[in-house]
Amino acid sequence: MTDLNGWQIATFFVWLIGSVTFILALKFLASPKTARVGNLLGAAGMALVILWTFFTYDLAQPGSEPGMLENWWIIVVGGAIGSVAGVLGARRVPMTAMPQMVAIFNGAGGGAAAVVALAEFLEFAGHGEGLLPLPFVIATLAGGIIGSVALTGSIVAFGKLQGIVAARPVMLPGQQIITGALFLAMLAIAVYIAAFENSIPLFLLFVALALVAGVVLTMPIGGADMPVVVSLLNSYTGIAVAASGFVLSNYALLIAGTLVGASGAILTQLMTKAMNRSLVNVLFAGFGTGGDVAGGEEGEESLKEINAEDAAVLMAYGKRVIIVPGYGMAVAQAQGPVRELMDLLVSKGVDVQFAIHPVAGRMPGHMNVLLAEANVPYDRLQEMDEINDDFADTDVALVIGANNVVNPVAREAGSPISGMPILNVDQAQHVIVLKRGRGAGFAGIPNPLFSLEKTSMLFGNAKETVESLVQGVKTA
Amino acid sequence: MTDLNGWQIATFFVWLIGSVTFILALKFLASPKTARVGNLLGAAGMALVILWTFFTYDLAQPGSEPGMLENWWIIVVGGAIGSVAGVLGARRVPMTAMPQMVAIFNGAGGGAAAVVALAEFLEFAGHGEGLLPLPFVIATLAGGIIGSVALTGSIVAFGKLQGIVAARPVMLPGQQIITGALFLAMLAIAVYIAAFENSIPLFLLFVALALVAGVVLTMPIGGADMPVVVSLLNSYTGIAVAASGFVLSNYALLIAGTLVGASGAILTQLMTKAMNRSLVNVLFAGFGTGGDVAGGEEGEESLKEINAEDAAVLMAYGKRVIIVPGYGMAVAQAQGPVRELMDLLVSKGVDVQFAIHPVAGRMPGHMNVLLAEANVPYDRLQEMDEINDDFADTDVALVIGANNVVNPVAREAGSPISGMPILNVDQAQHVIVLKRGRGAGFAGIPNPLFSLEKTSMLFGNAKETVESLVQGVKTA
Amino acid sequence: MDPTTLSPFALLAALFITVLAAFIGYEVVSKVPTMLHTPLMSGANAVHGVIVVGAMLVAATSDGPLRIALALLAVILGTINVVGGFVVTDRMLEMFKKRPGERG
Amino acid sequence: MDPTTLSPFALLAALFITVLAAFIGYEVVSKVPTMLHTPLMSGANAVHGVIVVGAMLVAATSDGPLRIALALLAVILGTINVVGGFVVTDRMLEMFKKRPGERG
Ligand SMILES: NC(=O)c1ccc[n+]([C@@H]2O[C@H](COP(=O)([O-])OP(=O)(O)OC[C@H]3O[C@@H](n4cnc5c(N)ncnc54)[C@H](OP(=O)(O)O)[C@@H]3O)[C@@H](O)[C@H]2O)c1
Ligand SMILES: NC(=O)c1ccc[n+]([C@@H]2O[C@H](COP(=O)([O-])OP(=O)(O)OC[C@H]3O[C@@H](n4cnc5c(N)ncnc54)[C@H](OP(=O)(O)O)[C@@H]3O)[C@@H](O)[C@H]2O)c1
């Protein structure tokens, strides 16, 4: 350690540059103006660290011949497969499926960290007599458990978001006992490995249990809360990567992993706060169920329907219309027609604004992304706090596939979304709600807004209903 | 380095705890609610690191007997002297002289860092044959030069703020040549010491030149800009301390010094920004002169005077009065009477607000500190941006010892304060200005506000004139 | 590097670096607007893709089919993380870019 | 510690720590309100008073009148910095404390 050769010293500087770009990447990503540059900067730093490692590995080993990494074919083959998979996945995914994609990439990272921990343990365990040094064993155990939980947890999250696994909370019988037993078993194995015997089979068992734990911890959480879970697992992967960095004495990994571990933890907090929830509540309360749980059919009779022509007239002759987009607009990919509707109304002299709830859709910023994609000018998108007082002066609030974020029960105590700030849609003169059917939303909570006197329902897939509204406004 | 004993390892943990408290101290100091706790936390961490070093020094040396620091009397005697001086200085200083005090404490720190660098160089230079390792030499040179500049620069800043040294910019004949020559000489000596001979006499010469440089760099800067200079020198001392931490392989010093170096640099930027200046402009433009430079007597004839009784009546029967305090209120220590005036006016049903310009006085927050000291309720203090639109609706703007911050020439091009945001005092119905005489303010720029039709002057020391206003309002 | 040669000093240095990096991670994102939560999460996700470097180091010293298989797996997973992460983040952010000067 | 034994690794670790600490210093104060500029400057000034620890280490190994005199000077100066710095900052901040619930 004390006699570093020149290549090794240079490697430290490359790590330092890489670390600085990662810090700046996160910093820039936290501000709209610089976010894209930040991401590119992070990618550049990453490329530098990866290429440097590839081309100088041998040089940086004391006393070895210049040349490339010995098993370079593993890296080339693995890198090629991974790159193709990564790029295809990232390019092909529709905007609505972004959270799933992030979950999968995160799971891959967690899996890689777990495999690295495993491989390091395999390499050194049982070689000498005596036990391996404690810090080394702790770090490999940490990388193994956290990386594994991140892997399977992310896969379950992906499944729930993609609709492959049931989105509602799935509780095992005796859930808490199983979880408790799992963690006790892992703790016992970890202590045994660290203090008594660096046993490879036990390490494998340990990792296997951690993989199970990832599933057991994630299944009871409802699909609507998955973005928060993905963010938390992202933080976990960061910690697992930091542990690998510690094991490998690689400061680029150590710093990058710690950065993500810490910032991911804060981000998770911020996300739960935007939903007015606590992390404990998200992880253990079994909220965020599918619409098929509670009695979503209540008040069905009292829903008043409207046809597209009448709705169009109402808007075209109003002074101000506020459009409230929600998850349904994302599902239906209705943002294009919505923009057309806006243009038409504006050309008729109507003041059209969009009210963006911070957690509308399935990821924060979801609505902003979709509407920007459809070229809705940025200055028509209003944050909740800016626009909430304006509903009272509004002729028509057009709710396109939003439900929870406009549900007035949030203002009362005792409901699962109590205390969540909502858009004051019910203060508008008229409310027009676009949804497919009479069921409750993703969280399964009935919405009294729909049965108000001033509310009219326009049923159907949002894309088609908005298109018929466009027709209606044209002829109005 | 590889075989640390238990005490040495414990020392690293103490450094880590200390470093965390320093980080939290700065973080908490940046927010009003937590500032005081932050300072106390930093002091606690500091006490821990100091006491630990004192009691474990010997234990932390490999192979030495348990016991206290060998030359413990130096530390006890020096610590006692320093503590008494520090506490007395800090306790006795009047609120108006805070910036001076910070300058002196900062100078002491810079001096200590320079002496530490010198002592380390003396200890190791010339012992072996060969040259000392380059990083060691660079770090001692850096500590020596930066610490010395911080020392003498701070002394000059103290002198200017305290009025011992002329506050106006003092340019040496051939200032730039002298500065250039000084730095070239220091550079040459540094290169020689590092690359050719670890010469002690040259190191002493190097430090001596640096002490001169501190004076030469600070003298040309005007007294009004001294707080910015103190902040910059504070950052310098931080860097010098970090260099010492590097030389001594002490992470507490390294981290604390770097933290202060970086945060001091940002703070300096923020301070110049609050004055709408650039750092280069502050350091080299020779602005901030005494009032005796420019033709401050211009327009003297046109100044209209008012007596205290008339001024009192004007305020007592107004609906809204805005008080604009400035450096003169601080000098005259008039905050007590000002508060009384406010109370009286409020009891007569007048709406009284204070307009706080960010750089009124001689340090940021100066006015807030003074008015809080006099128990003026916080909610009557309005920041410039909040209150600037309200002057138009105001009956009387009472300017107490403020000048630059209300000078309308800042709105025009070509004056040294051009572009500085100012309080729109000239939009009020009546303006009453309290100052001692007809001279221009600290920066020597004539103020056309004083000769406006709507402006009346009430000459005299602010404490007395405000007291007579109080009498006037009582009888009005 | 052989973990059995890790000196106490190296461990302590790593500890300092970890604590400082954690502070930075906290400070740097603590003011992020809601709108950017997802891109930030995605960007951070890409950053921990640096684990691919760890996978490369494992690959470099691998012998025997088991360890080679593990190394290959780690490299594939790490590459998916890093490549996919940056690309998908860029795609998300592309949506934000057209803001100024564009009115309907 | 004898500087001639400083290993390249120790130097590099110090470099990492310095860079990270600089980032923290930057981030932590970059949002400070104007009102707190002076207390923050003063508090930061107290923090670099940790140089007194360096002075103590110099004192510990001093022999000969010159080095002892230097050590004494360094300890005095460092103590003034650290003690005066924290006390004066506290005094400044005392002024701010009475805010809430106090109306004239
Ligand atoms: N944004 C985030 O970061 C985030 C993260 C995690 C969880 N969440 C949660 O997600 C929820 C978001 O609220 P939200 O109001 O946007 O959505 P929501 O409460 O899930 O409601 C979606 C609405 O869209 C309708 N819909 C679905 N598909 C449609 C289609 N093709 N055409 C027309 N309508 C359709 C649904 O009714 P039908 O089924 O009858 O059509 C439902 O009324 C909140 O509970 C929030 O806490 C958000
Ligand atoms: N706050 C900061 O952080 C900071 C830092 C550095 C520089 N500065 C600079 O300092 C200036 C502050 O502006 P300012 O308007 O507060 O002060 P100023 O421009 O210096 O004016 C002070 C006024 O108070 C009067 N005065 C002095 N002593 C008085 C007394 N005993 N009784 C009554 N009046 C008295 C002076 O006139 P007479 O002499 O006729 O009495 C003068 O008109 C700005 O230029 C700013 O850039 C501020």
Side-chain angles (χ1 to χ4, degrees), chain B residues 10 12 35 39 95-96 183 185 238-239 246 317 371 435 447 450 469:
Chain B
F12 274 89
N39 186 53
M95 271 297 160
T96 39
F183 276 89
I239 297 169
F246 185 82
Y317 295 99
L371 293 171
K435 67 197 295 276
N447 190 336
F450 300 160
L469 286 176

Side-chain angles (χ1 to χ4, degrees), chain B residues 13 31 42 142 149 161 174 183 203 273 286 364 367 396 400 417 432 452:
Chain B
F13 279 92
S31 152
V149 167
L161 285 164
F183 276 89
F203 197 98
K273 218 156 123 194
M367 295 300 121
V396 181
I400 308 183
I417 57 169
I432 300 176
L452 288 184

Side-chain angles (χ1 to χ4, degrees), chain B residues 161-361:
Chain B
L161 285 164
Q162 191 71 11
I164 301 172
V165 179
R168 73 199 148 70
V170 178
M171 293 286 211
L172 297 175
Q175 168 82 25
Q176 291 174 345
I177 298 172
I178 295 179
T179 316
L182 260 175
F183 276 89
L184 273 181
M186 291 192 285
L187 185 66
I189 296 175
V191 170
Y192 183 82
I193 291 178
F196 300 105
E197 190 200 338
N198 299 147
S199 152
I200 290 176
L202 278 180
F203 197 98
L204 291 172
L205 177 61
F206 179 76
V207 169
L209 290 179
L211 292 170
V212 175
V215 177
V216 169
L217 287 173
T218 319
M219 287 304 288
I221 304 170
D225 285 330
M226 276 306 131
V228 177
V229 173
V230 174
S231 175
L232 186 67
L233 294 173
N234 190 38
S235 167
Y236 285 1
T237 305
I239 297 169
V241 171
S244 304
F246 185 82
V247 169
L248 297 162
S249 300
N250 185 312
Y251 286 175
L253 264 68
L254 182 62
I255 292 174
T258 308
L259 278 176
V260 177
S263 58
I266 302 312
L267 192 53
T268 309
Q269 287 290 347
L270 293 175
M271 283 170 74
T272 54
K273 218 156 123 194
M275 297 201 255
N276 202 40
R277 310 267 302 280
S278 77
L279 190 54
V280 174
N281 181 268
V282 167
L283 294 183
F284 303 112
F287 167 65
T289 63
D292 39 357
V293 174
E297 310 299 310
E298 253 178 273
E300 185 183 339
E301 284 89 336
S302 59
L303 298 189
K304 198 171 65 206
E305 285 192 52
I306 191 171
N307 65 32
E309 288 70 37
D310 293 350
V313 169
L314 215 51
M315 290 190 289
Y317 295 99
K319 276 212 291 290
R320 178 191 279 174
V321 170
I322 297 182
I323 300 180
V324 180
Y327 180 64
M329 184 187 81
V331 173
Q333 287 288 314
Q335 61 271 27
V338 166
R339 193 222 148 131
E340 226 179 308
L341 180 63
M342 177 205 82
D343 282 346
L344 273 173
L345 289 172
V346 168
S347 74
K348 293 207 180 245
V350 184
D351 172 15
V352 184
Q353 302 290 334
F354 288 81
I356 309 294
H357 190 282
V359 297

Side-chain angles (χ1 to χ4, degrees), chain C residues 21-39:
Chain C
F23 264 105
I24 298 177
Y26 176 88
E27 286 298 328
V28 142
V29 308
S30 58
K31 304 262 144 103
V32 59
T34 321
M35 200 174 65
L36 286 174
H37 281 183
T38 305

Side-chain angles (χ1 to χ4, degrees), chain B residues 224 227 275 326-328 331-332 359-364 401-405 434-437 439 442 460-462:
Chain B
M275 297 201 255
Y327 180 64
V331 173
V359 297
R362 283 295 173 272
M363 58 184 199
N403 190 339
N404 276 347
V405 300
L434 273 53
K435 67 197 295 276
R436 289 166 312 176
F442 204 46
N461 183 37

Side-chain angles (χ1 to χ4, degrees), chain A residues 19 146 230 457:
Chain A
S19 302
I146 304 172
V230 173
M457 310 297 291

